[in-house]
Amino acid sequence: MERITVVKIGGNVIDSPEATARFVEAFAALEGPKLLVHGGGKLATRLAAQLGIESRMVDGRRITDRETLDVVTMVYAGLINKRLVAALSAAGCDAVTSVRRAAGAVDYGYVGDIAEGGVNVELLRTLLDAGLTPVFSAITCDGRGTLLNTNADSVASAVAVAA
């Protein structure tokens, strides 16, 4: 079996745009199979405070009630994860990519449409053949590090056509 490099990063990297940029460059340059695990507690603590939810820590571990679970899920599985995916995509690591919708009669802002070839069919097939169930979000990136809100129906259609 080929060796897999597992890297974990936390708030010290995630909370600093400069540290994140250095990390992304180094991680993307790693040879061979690799995977990334990330935390993001400082951002979760800040968001919880903005929402009026008290963060409680014991020996560096977060006490997680239902409200706190919602916050850390939004922050870790949403914002931080997608920011890292977008940055890694810009550094050449694979992701579903989209293009920002051009302004016409309406400027949709940060709205994307799935790019031609934006779904990696080979990777998708590998995951499905391994018995895994990929789960897609409507947040995509443009391959240059910008997050885009992409219609979920469009994502589903592009994945269905590609598969």
Side-chain angles (χ1 to χ4, degrees), residues 98-121:
S98 57
V99 293
R100 188 169 176 174
R101 186 173 294 169
V106 175
D107 181 353
Y108 286 95
Y110 290 92
V111 167
D113 296 305
I114 300 296
E116 180 73 29
V119 178
N120 182 331
V121 179

Side-chain angles (χ1 to χ4, degrees), residues 54-112:
E54 179 185 354
S55 292
R56 297 176 307 162
M57 307 290 277
V58 174
D59 297 328
R61 305 280 182 170
R62 184 179 306 275
I63 304 297
T64 307
D65 59 14
R66 176 55 66 185
E67 285 183 312
T68 302
L69 180 61
D70 287 347
V71 170
V72 296
T73 301
M74 286 185 282
V75 172
Y76 301 168
L79 184 61
I80 290 173
N81 182 273
K82 290 302 180 179
R83 283 181 177 168
L84 286 169
V85 168
L88 287 167
S89 176
C93 292
D94 202 10
V96 173
T97 55
S98 57
V99 293
R100 188 169 176 174
R101 186 173 294 169
V106 175
D107 181 353
Y108 286 95
Y110 290 92
V111 167

Side-chain angles (χ1 to χ4, degrees), residues 45-55 67 71:
T45 299
R46 286 194 302 269
L47 180 59
Q50 290 173 349
L51 296 171
I53 300 168
E54 179 185 354
S55 292
E67 285 183 312
V71 170

Side-chain angles (χ1 to χ4, degrees), residues 21-38:
R22 286 190 305 273
F23 166 76
V24 164
E25 184 178 320
F27 184 80
L30 288 174
E31 296 289 328
K34 57 189 172 256
L35 62 88
L36 172 62
V37 178
H38 65 82

